Amino acid sequence: MVKQLSIIVLGICLVSFGIQDRPTIYLIGDSTVRNSNQEYWGWGSLLGAFLDTTQVAVANHAMAGRSTRTFRKEGRWDRVKEKMKPGDYLLIQFGHNEGSKPDTTRQGYRGVLRGVGRDSVILDWGNGETEVVRTYGENLRRFVREAKQIGAHPILLSMIPRNQWDEQGHVKRASQDFGLWARQIAAEEQVSFIDLNEITAKKYDEIGSEQVKAKYFPGDHTHTNYHGAMENATSVIEGLKNIQHPLVKYIK
């Protein structure tokens, strides 16, 4: 009886150790990655449904309204780094909140400089408080390099497409700005890149603007419902398969 009990306890300990020792996929981004999960959903909330979570964990640290600038400024990135360990993964998807001119107004609070350069501006918030604002690409570059220093494996993703269409009836891409800059940093830093914008946009093109609006966008042109978030989570999985990323082994 004692021997059987010892075997059971040992088995429980081994299972517990395995769960604790499994790698974690950290997600950072904006509301399109993590939202209220009521009317609006982010794809990061659904990613775990596609994965064997007994072998890999998912930790969604994205936050609505944040840009690459404010995610760091508010200390959110520091909290991720405190938890991240060698062998973990980091999925990075920003772009929807970066577009305003960076200044000290409410509108400019989360804006960044455009491009991938290392240029910057210094904002004076008064009372001796200043802030260095960098380019979108430089912010991504810093996320990637700091994750690498920990021993984690970063993956850059282009932002999900908005429900915006051109005159030819195609979804507007991010391939000339934020999507392009994410791709360029991935190439420069030699890390994986998933063109989430293009993968989902192709699906939208096939469905058509009226059906996309009816199925996925209950309010504005940026935030999807559950079904839209599930479509984007599916696109992330497709992207991992397209680039034959090691995370594919965890897909159910």
Side-chain angles (χ1 to χ4, degrees):
M1 181 67 179
V2 174
K3 183 177 181 180
Q4 289 177 333
L5 183 60
S6 298
I7 293 173
I8 293 172
V9 171
L10 177 61
I12 293 173
C13 290
L14 289 173
V15 170
S16 177
F17 177 78
I19 291 175
Q20 293 176 1
D21 195 50
R22 63 185 169 168
T24 298
I25 303 172
Y26 287 92
L27 312 179
I28 63 174
D30 51 41
S31 58
T32 63
V33 183
R34 178 176 172 227
N35 214 314
S36 64
N37 294 349
Q38 297 177 13
E39 183 178 22
Y40 300 119
W41 286 70
W43 60 260
S45 300
L46 303 174
L47 188 65
F50 296 85
L51 303 170
D52 180 357
T53 52
T54 66
Q55 299 297 316
V56 65
V58 178
N60 191 354
H61 286 262
M63 182 56 62
R66 272 56 183 186
S67 64
T68 52
R69 170 186 168 194
T70 55
F71 195 86
R72 180 184 290 273
K73 182 178 180 179
E74 295 174 359
R76 299 179 185 278
W77 174 234
D78 287 335
R79 291 194 286 274
V80 173
K81 287 197 297 181
E82 288 173 2
K83 298 175 181 293
M84 197 181 296
K85 63 185 183 298
D88 285 340
Y89 299 87
L90 175 69
L91 272 62
I92 307 167
Q93 187 235 273
F94 288 95
H96 286 283
N97 299 315
E98 324 279 327
S100 60
K101 178 182 177 182
D103 55 34
T104 56
T105 67
R106 182 177 179 180
Q107 182 178 3
Y109 177 78
R110 57 189 185 180
V112 301
L113 299 179
R114 297 173 68 81
V116 298
R118 289 181 170 82
D119 46 315
S120 62
V121 295
I122 298 177
L123 300 182
D124 186 353
W125 289 92
N127 299 319
E129 180 185 355
T130 60
E131 179 189 4
V132 179
V133 179
R134 298 174 172 84
T135 65
Y136 174 73
E138 175 63 10
N139 290 341
L140 294 182
R141 187 182 286 116
R142 295 176 77 205
F143 286 142
V144 166
R145 291 186 176 183
E146 290 169 30
K148 282 182 173 181
Q149 288 175 352
I150 294 171
H153 309 290
I155 305 171
L156 287 171
L157 297 86
S158 54
M159 56 195 264
I160 68 166
R162 295 186 173 103
N163 184 29
Q164 295 177 320
W165 301 73
D166 62 24
E167 294 178 354
Q168 287 72 44
H170 298 121
V171 174
K172 291 183 178 180
R173 268 57 165 180
S175 55
Q176 299 303 312
D177 45 40
F178 295 102
L180 171 64
W181 301 328
R183 182 190 294 275
Q184 289 174 334
I185 294 299
E188 174 191 314
E189 297 297 320
Q190 298 183 340
V191 298
S192 299
F193 174 72
I194 296 176
D195 196 350
L196 180 58
N197 187 267
E198 181 64 23
I199 295 171
T200 295
K202 285 182 177 179
K203 298 176 184 179
Y204 288 177
D205 287 346
E206 292 180 3
I207 298 171
S209 60
E210 291 186 7
Q211 285 299 310
V212 166
K213 168 63 178 174
K215 290 179 65 175
Y216 299 143
F217 290 91
D220 57 39
H221 57 46
T222 301
H223 301 98
T224 65
N225 57 17
Y226 172 89
H227 300 291
M230 183 61 78
E231 194 66 79
N232 283 305
T234 302
S235 295
V236 173
I237 295 298
E238 291 174 11
L240 290 171
K241 291 179 178 178
N242 290 343
I243 62 175
Q244 299 181 336
H245 194 275
L247 280 176
V248 167
K249 66 185 176 184
Y250 299 115
I251 297 174
K252 291 194 293 190

